[in-house]
Amino acid sequence: MSRIILSIELVILCGPAITLLALGILFLPASLTALFFHPFNSGDWPAAALITICGAWGVVSLANLARYAYKKEGKWPGRPTQWLGVLMGLSACGVGILTSTGNYIILAVFAGPVIATAHLLYLAKFCEVAS
């Protein structure tokens, strides 16, 4: 039962941010094109590409972390690449939080994965989720 509740928590907290990430991935070719072919007149495209790449790596690390939180045996090893992915995802969400400029919906969209990551880190390192 607790795995179902944890799955619902992940969908509610991370779903909207992953939807925005999918939109960023959709525009990633355009942002990389602007970055490489018009580097001095590209506007915010380089930042968008960096946030999208960091967010994608963060989602992969969050999925790995969720896998360890769901397992009954073993704790999350926390290798350097896994920690780097978690930090990259958190930094992408941090940029989203800092640029929300009073829009509380966007603030909630990017605060959700931060809360979910903190909860999964606690569960994967110190607890085991029972079935």
Side-chain angles (χ1 to χ4, degrees):
M1 183 67 178
S2 61
R3 290 181 185 182
I4 295 171
I5 293 172
L6 186 61
S7 298
I8 292 170
E9 174 190 352
L10 285 175
V11 168
I12 289 172
L13 290 177
C14 297
I18 291 175
T19 303
L20 286 178
L21 180 65
L23 188 62
I25 290 172
L26 182 68
F27 284 102
L28 188 61
S31 62
L32 291 176
T33 302
L35 178 65
F36 289 120
F37 291 115
H38 305 288
F40 300 112
N41 192 16
S42 57
D44 290 337
W45 288 106
L50 187 64
I51 291 170
T52 302
I53 292 168
C54 288
W57 195 346
V59 167
V60 171
S61 294
L62 186 68
N64 184 14
L65 186 59
R67 183 176 64 98
Y68 275 99
Y70 284 128
K71 284 174 47 173
K72 288 185 179 179
E73 69 278 343
K75 306 288 185 202
W76 187 60
R79 294 187 180 94
T81 54
Q82 293 168 331
W83 277 109
L84 179 66
V86 167
L87 291 176
M88 287 175 72
L90 290 176
S91 66
C93 287
V95 169
I97 289 171
L98 291 174
T99 59
S100 64
T101 61
N103 189 345
Y104 296 113
I105 294 173
I106 295 297
L107 181 68
V109 164
F110 289 114
V114 174
I115 295 167
T117 302
H119 187 224
L120 282 177
L121 278 171
Y122 173 75
L123 289 176
K125 278 297 210 182
F126 302 113
C127 301
E128 293 177 359
V129 178
S131 62

